[in-house]
Amino acid sequence: MHAHSIEHAEMELAASRDLMVGIAPFLIGLALVAILIGAVWLGIRVKNREPAAPRPEEQPRAPERDHPPGEIRETREPDEVPQDGVRRTPHQLGGPGNSGT
């Protein structure tokens, strides 16, 4: 009978281990869901304490212009590319706004 009681104890241990293998992930998942719900609830509370967004008529207005901001209007003389058959690299041609070489 001694062997029978050892076998019975091993079966109980295996059953409790199987139960923990099934319950532990469930409890961890339940804790994660609770944490996420708490985070969303806290986020909503913080958002409700912030001042409201300005209405369209309260938005700042850009000054009236006849061209987009940052656009520069200028007239430059075109730089002609020499037609003497010599191959030139870009640095030999000069950049925009520079007089040619």
Side-chain angles (χ1 to χ4, degrees):
M1 282 236 171
H2 183 60
H4 182 66
S5 63
I6 293 174
E7 204 174 278
H8 182 68
E10 286 177 354
M11 286 179 61
E12 284 183 15
L13 181 64
S16 67
R17 187 176 31 219
D18 288 345
L19 187 62
M20 288 307 294
V21 166
I23 290 177
F26 174 74
L27 293 178
I28 292 171
L30 196 61
L32 287 174
V33 167
I35 289 170
L36 290 173
I37 289 172
V40 169
W41 175 77
L42 183 63
I44 289 171
R45 285 190 58 203
V46 168
K47 178 79 173 157
N48 286 339
R49 279 189 262 155
E50 292 178 355
R55 294 187 308 271
E57 60 270 8
E58 296 173 339
Q59 296 287 336
R61 298 277 178 219
E64 294 296 325
R65 297 187 175 129
D66 63 342
H67 57 84
E71 181 179 303
I72 299 172
R73 295 180 183 215
E74 61 183 41
T75 306
R76 292 183 288 183
E77 294 297 320
D79 287 336
E80 296 294 327
V81 178
Q83 300 295 322
D84 55 4
V86 177
R87 182 174 178 176
R88 290 177 175 78
T89 59
H91 73 274
Q92 291 171 323
L93 294 174
N98 297 340
S99 59
T101 54

